[in-house]
Amino acid sequence: MKNLSVGELKNQFSEVLEKIQKGESFGILYGRKKKPIAMIVPYAEKTKKSKRQIGLLEGKVNIRFADDFKMTEKELLGQQ
C-alpha cells in the first residue's frame, strides 16, 4: 500500500485510479503531521453466499447449562 497526501492525490488522481483498477491500495494522509485518514481500495463484487447448513456440529458438541443458571431477556440483549 502506498500513502499519498491529499495534494498528491489531487495531482495524480487519474493515475491513482488506474493503479487501483489494477489492484493497488492507497492510504490518504492529511495535514502537516500527515495523519492517515482514509484508504482507497479496489472495489470487490459481492460474492453470493451459500446457504448455511444447520446442525453441522450435531453429535460432535454437547452443551450443558448449570441448574442454577439464570439470565433474563434484558441481560441476554444487553439492555441492563
Side-chain angles (χ1 to χ4, degrees):
M1 178 178 76
K2 184 176 179 184
N3 291 315
L4 297 172
S5 68
V6 174
E8 290 173 318
L9 178 63
K10 284 182 188 179
N11 292 333
Q12 303 172 17
F13 192 69
S14 295
E15 294 87 4
V16 170
L17 287 180
E18 288 176 17
K19 290 179 180 181
I20 290 169
Q21 284 181 326
K22 294 177 183 175
E24 288 188 49
S25 299
F26 289 84
I28 309 301
L29 307 174
Y30 183 74
R32 289 185 191 150
K33 294 183 180 181
K34 305 234 185 233
K35 180 181 176 185
I37 59 166
M39 279 186 61
I40 302 177
V41 296
Y43 181 77
E45 294 287 334
K46 287 186 177 181
T47 57
K48 192 172 184 178
K49 294 181 180 179
S50 61
K51 290 187 177 182
R52 295 171 69 181
Q53 290 182 337
I54 297 176
L56 189 63
L57 296 175
E58 189 174 338
K60 297 178 183 177
V61 176
N62 292 321
I63 298 174
R64 289 191 206 154
F65 293 96
D67 293 334
D68 61 345
F69 179 81
K70 293 180 184 177
M71 180 181 274
T72 65
E73 285 185 40
K74 286 185 177 183
E75 289 174 324
L76 176 66
L77 299 173
Q79 297 176 349
Q80 277 190 343

